[in-house]
Amino acid sequence: MLRLPPFTLRRPRRLAEAVEILAEEGAAEGRARAVAGGTDLWPNMKRRHQTADVVVALGGIARLDTIQANGDFTLGANATLTQVAEHSRVATDLPALAKAIRSISSPPLRNMGTLGGNLCVDTRCTYYNQTEEWRRSIDYCMKAEGSVCWVAPSSPRCWAHSASDSAPMLAALGAEVTLFGPDGERTLPVENLFHDDGMEYLSKGPAELVTAVRVPGAAARRRSAFWKLRRRGSIDFAVLSVGASLDLDQEGVVRDARVFLGAVASRPVVPEQTVAALEGEKLDAEVIAEAAAKARKHATPMDNTDFQAQWRGAMVGKYVEAALRECAGLPTERMEPPAA
């Protein structure tokens, strides 16, 4: 049985108090960490991927779990994944987002996990997500005490991949994330929350907290779709995901396209050639096929998760095409794994 290491649990009642504890207790050095639902942190601490002398529980802070749909959609960071996916306005107006969130893990974990936690979920890798004994036996990777990335031993960086399913879809919808830290509050696009580095994968400060996600009301008028590839239809993390959102004029011409790939790099990736091939074109099967084929050039799946990297790379264009065909109202022509 894997057991949690000893730590001190703090339960602040105010946001400023939580940030103050994180800063004073050494969040910058990894000695203090925040926890919301705990579906990522607790297993990581049990496997000794992450350690903390102090854990700051965010569940007692008021108003971090509210969901508002007054024009724009404001989703509290502490709202559970189930609350977001089953919210009537989210499910009706942002069905692709609801679908992306329903694809995360299993119902019990969605009942615990939070939207903010999923955005900040740790990057994953075959050589990292093992027990401490397993990792010690082959020597640690650079993400956990070692100095070598076992996926790419000659690389100076870590290639652990992004594991958030909500991130690519929220980015495709043009969402913004609100952060609160020692220097106050700031807002940035969801895609700017991430760095392309498996270790330093978040741009937020160690004592900053995600407090809310705002999805513009205009996103409800866009054509959107989410597709996810994994071995099983539930529970498993993605080995590829696609979040797509298109704005079409009355003639079906693409005025604006936002497409993000998940789980192929350490952050959600924009297939820029695909986007360029869509904008200004009338959305039909031929345009979609040509644009989707260009997505492979922007994805770098590696041997760090389930399935062969070459096959995952080949699936990038197929899944982008399926997502775009769904946006266009065309038959997807492939079977999608069922959601839990």
Side-chain angles (χ1 to χ4, degrees):
M1 178 184 292
L2 298 177
R3 299 182 182 277
L4 283 169
F7 60 88
T8 300
L9 183 66
R10 302 286 297 274
R11 296 179 178 272
R13 308 299 295 180
R14 297 178 295 105
L15 190 59
E17 182 186 0
V19 168
E20 182 179 358
I21 295 171
L22 287 169
E24 291 181 350
E25 296 292 346
E29 295 79 30
R31 296 196 306 272
R33 298 184 185 275
V35 68
T39 58
D40 190 52
L41 180 63
W42 299 142
N44 280 351
M45 289 182 66
K46 286 181 177 181
R47 293 189 297 258
R48 305 310 191 258
H49 294 143
Q50 296 172 319
T51 59
D53 297 326
V54 175
V55 174
V56 181
L58 306 178
I61 300 176
R63 295 187 297 278
L64 283 188
D65 61 349
T66 58
I67 298 176
Q68 297 178 348
N70 300 318
D72 294 341
F73 299 83
T74 302
L75 313 175
N78 270 11
T80 68
L81 299 171
T82 296
Q83 287 173 327
V84 176
E86 294 185 356
H87 189 276
S88 59
R89 289 289 303 278
V90 173
T92 301
D93 296 346
L94 304 173
L97 177 60
K99 179 181 177 182
I101 292 175
R102 285 197 306 270
S103 79
I104 297 168
S105 192
S106 62
L109 292 183
R110 291 196 295 274
N111 291 341
M112 294 177 59
T114 65
L115 181 61
N118 187 258
L119 276 175
C120 298
V121 70
D122 198 11
T123 53
R124 296 184 61 79
C125 176
T126 300
Y127 297 93
Y128 173 68
N129 292 101
Q130 304 288 345
T131 64
E132 198 276 338
E133 291 79 6
W134 189 98
R135 290 179 289 117
R136 186 173 63 236
S137 70
I138 67 165
D139 200 1
Y140 299 101
C141 69
M142 67 168 59
K143 188 169 167 65
E145 302 182 41
S147 59
V148 176
C149 175
W150 291 118
V151 175
S154 62
S155 174
R157 56 156 287 185
C158 167
W159 287 92
H161 69 87
S162 174
S164 171
D165 289 318
S166 63
M169 194 64 244
L170 284 168
L173 292 172
E176 295 180 335
V177 62
T178 300
L179 304 172
F180 184 81
D183 297 323
E185 186 175 270
R186 64 188 179 111
T187 301
L188 67 160
V190 164
E191 59 265 36
N192 291 351
L193 179 64
F194 304 97
H195 288 149
D196 192 16
D197 184 290
M199 294 171 64
E200 302 296 331
Y201 62 97
L202 291 175
S203 62
K204 77 175 189 67
E208 277 190 305
L209 295 172
V210 174
T211 60
V213 177
R214 185 188 70 84
V215 182
R221 297 188 290 274
R222 297 171 68 96
R223 306 278 191 90
S224 57
F226 176 82
W227 277 64
K228 175 178 178 176
L229 174 64
R230 52 183 166 182
R231 184 171 291 274
R232 296 176 290 182
S234 65
I235 301 175
D236 291 341
F237 283 92
V239 297
L240 165 67
S241 63
V242 181
S245 171
L246 307 178
D247 179 30
L248 309 181
D249 67 14
Q250 292 183 347
E251 304 300 321
V253 175
V254 180
R255 291 184 293 206
D256 179 67
R258 294 180 64 84
V259 182
F260 286 81
L261 308 177
V264 296
S266 299
R267 61 168 294 169
V269 173
V270 179
E272 296 177 354
Q273 292 186 31
T274 294
V275 171
L278 289 169
E279 293 182 341
E281 299 290 337
K282 188 169 184 177
L283 198 63
D284 59 28
E286 183 178 351
V287 167
I288 287 172
E290 292 179 0
K294 300 177 185 294
R296 175 67 184 91
K297 299 178 181 179
H298 299 276
T300 55
M302 304 184 74
D303 188 22
N304 56 3
T305 188
D306 199 7
F307 299 125
Q308 290 187 343
Q310 296 90 335
W311 183 79
R312 288 163 52 215
M315 289 298 102
V316 170
K318 302 297 184 182
Y319 268 60
V320 171
E321 183 176 5
L324 294 176
R325 288 180 69 91
E326 183 178 333
C327 289
L330 298 173
T332 56
E333 297 183 347
R334 63 182 53 252
M335 182 179 293
E336 185 180 15

